[in-house]
Amino acid sequence: MAYYYRLGAIPPKRHTQFRQPDGSLYKEEVVSSKGFSGIYSTLYHIHNPNEVRSIGKPEPYSWKPAAEYGLNQTHLKTSDVEFTGEDYLSARRNLMMNSDVMMGICSPRQRKMDYYFKNADGDELIYVHDGEGVLYSQFGKLEVRKGDYIVIPRTTIYRFEFEEKGPLRLLIIESQGAIETVKRYRNEVGQLLEHSPYCERDIRPPHELHIEKEKGDYLVQIKKQGMLHQYSYGHSPLDIVGWDGYLYPYALSIYDFEPITGRIHQPPPVHQTFQAWGFVICSFVPRLFDYHPLSIPAPYNHSNIDSDEVLYYAEGEFMSRKGIDRGSFTLHMGGLPHGPHPGTVEKSIGAKATDEYAVMLDTFKSLQITTDSLEFVDKNYPMSWTE
């Protein structure tokens, strides 16, 4: 995120002496991207962040493509899934993947993590479909709620505490590259432009520090190269008294995304919310339909030449699709045309507005569904245009 932010106590000059009340030095740590040429933040620890008490045996933590699934328009019926696992990590079920990105769901039974997690492989984008809680990280406390996108840069150490009441459903996207705001919405110094569908006022960084000073036994599970590595420390990784910089987790609500509309049907890029290497994320939100007197609100048929398109249906009435429920995925693969189901085009004529929320992932490399997806596949979907 390209704007400067700071919390807590920091020295006037970086890389200079900054002492604790007992006279010892705070331990400075620079968390940087692209070596030292990308965005970074500087953190000040009470304890040395390198003091490891023990390292446990790595555990496999990866997903496999479903072999020989073939070229099929795909509907994953995940709307009725209540729980996908016991805790935050075991509940992750990645359903689609390529070398740039993975996408899946997470509905853990346990609402509070009793360990910390660090993803050393990629940035994460977590969409809170249902639930509310708090993200605790080195950068502080960030309250999150239904409809939030949470961007978590790689190597951020964090844990979630979600409210015990009500459903908890997360959509998780993991990226090999940095997840960023959209370049065409920014000026030369990184400020979001007037025509952007959201601005800095909508972006919520951590709002206060959360300092854990006590010694004890603290487990950090680190995801790296298809394994979970178990690192135990004698102090909490959240022992930060202050930090500043440009790299930190933040939240942006889908409800704060302002739609761009026109006289005739607007293509999906007007809904773009984030960019990353090899894919984009778009937000479909309630909006006025096209106002040309002969407009057709339903989307036209489309042949993807060089991308695959995933829609995750969050809320509302999905005008162009039949048999799709809240929490369903559709995957329309490049190489096949896709479009509205029979009857939906005529039905849309004269409609004034849509009341739907959906998250779209468009990739520029082909996606494969994983073996975890197979139990959710709607076998009738590829033939659903022949009614």
Side-chain angles (χ1 to χ4, degrees), residues 41-55:
S41 289
T42 305
L43 293 69
Y44 295 89
H45 294 260
I46 296 172
H47 307 288
N48 189 330
N50 302 304
E51 289 182 6
V52 180
R53 175 177 284 179
S54 64
I55 301 174

Side-chain angles (χ1 to χ4, degrees), residues 17 20 30-31 34 37 43 56 85 87 92 100 127 152 166 204 248 255 309 325 358:
Q17 296 178 36
Q20 304 190 37
V30 176
V31 182
K34 300 178 183 177
S37 61
L43 293 69
D87 73 317
R92 287 192 177 202
D100 296 324
Y127 176 72
I152 304 178
R204 309 193 319 270
Y248 48 84
Y255 304 128
E309 177 188 295
D325 296 317

Side-chain angles (χ1 to χ4, degrees), residues 63-88:
W63 286 264
K64 295 180 180 179
E68 301 179 1
Y69 177 71
L71 181 63
N72 294 295
Q73 307 290 37
T74 301
H75 171 208
L76 300 180
K77 301 176 71 172
T78 57
S79 55
D80 294 332
V81 176
E82 291 187 11
F83 300 106
T84 53
E86 195 60 30
D87 73 317
Y88 177 67

Side-chain angles (χ1 to χ4, degrees), residues 86-360:
E86 195 60 30
D87 73 317
Y88 177 67
L89 291 181
S90 65
R92 287 192 177 202
R93 300 194 66 181
N94 280 309
L95 305 178
M96 287 159 275
M97 64 187 296
N98 64 23
S99 59
D100 296 324
V101 64
M102 293 191 294
M103 185 183 201
I105 54 177
C106 179
S107 293
R109 289 182 183 273
Q110 295 178 7
R111 299 301 180 98
K112 296 181 180 180
M113 297 168 62
D114 57 4
Y115 54 87
Y116 301 86
F117 176 56
K118 176 196 284 190
N119 193 328
D121 280 330
D123 283 24
E124 295 175 333
L125 177 69
I126 300 173
Y127 176 72
V128 183
H129 192 179
D130 288 309
E132 61 180 287
V134 179
L135 172 73
Y136 295 98
S137 75
Q138 315 109 294
F139 302 95
K141 180 179 177 182
L142 177 60
E143 294 181 357
V144 299
R145 52 189 177 264
K146 178 182 171 69
D148 277 350
Y149 291 109
I150 311 165
V151 178
I152 304 178
R154 75 196 59 211
T155 77
T156 299
I157 301 173
Y158 70 90
R159 60 180 172 84
F160 276 114
E161 290 188 7
F162 289 103
E163 294 293 330
E164 294 292 341
K165 294 182 180 179
L168 176 59
R169 187 181 182 90
L170 308 174
L171 173 70
I172 298 183
I173 296 170
E174 180 180 326
S175 171
Q176 288 294 306
I179 296 174
E180 304 171 330
T181 56
V182 182
K183 185 177 181 180
R184 69 176 183 275
Y185 296 158
R186 296 187 244 120
N187 62 22
E188 66 274 11
V189 296
Q191 183 182 15
L192 290 165
L193 293 163
E194 279 289 302
H195 67 270
S196 170
Y198 55 89
C199 74
E200 286 83 358
R201 297 184 190 183
D202 301 316
I203 292 167
R204 309 193 319 270
H207 60 279
E208 65 180 72
L209 284 180
H210 177 76
I211 307 173
E212 298 177 352
K213 299 180 180 180
E214 295 78 13
K215 294 269 190 173
D217 189 15
Y218 295 87
L219 173 64
V220 180
Q221 299 199 57
I222 304 173
K223 180 181 179 293
K224 186 71 172 179
Q225 298 176 332
M227 305 292 285
L228 276 179
H229 303 269
Q230 315 295 314
Y231 272 64
S232 293
Y233 295 82
H235 59 81
S236 171
L238 309 190
D239 65 339
I240 309 298
V241 298
W243 66 271
D244 74 334
Y246 284 64
L247 186 146
Y248 48 84
Y250 64 89
L252 169 69
S253 176
I254 197 172
Y255 304 128
D256 287 328
F257 185 89
E258 300 299 334
I260 299 170
T261 60
R263 291 187 76 224
I264 58 174
H265 193 85
Q266 298 296 295
V270 302
H271 308 293
Q272 188 178 349
T273 312
F274 300 100
Q275 66 181 33
W277 182 262
F279 68 92
V280 300
I281 300 291
C282 299
S283 301
F284 290 86
V285 302
R287 61 198 180 277
L288 295 177
F289 276 140
D290 330 311
Y291 48 91
H292 187 285
L294 297 178
S295 68
I296 301 175
Y300 37 77
N301 293 301
H302 176 217
S303 290
N304 291 338
I305 294 176
D306 52 11
S307 64
D308 285 3
E309 177 188 295
V310 181
L311 269 172
Y312 178 76
Y313 298 86
E315 313 287 345
E317 296 292 329
F318 308 109
M319 172 187 58
S320 62
R321 288 282 175 272
K322 298 178 179 179
I324 301 296
D325 296 317
R326 181 183 189 274
S328 287
F329 291 85
T330 56
L331 165 60
H332 297 135
M333 296 181 173
L336 294 173
H338 67 277
H341 275 144
T344 59
V345 173
E346 286 288 347
K347 185 179 178 181
S348 76
I349 295 174
K352 301 300 182 185
T354 178
D355 185 24
E356 66 182 11
Y357 289 91
V359 177
M360 186 170 81

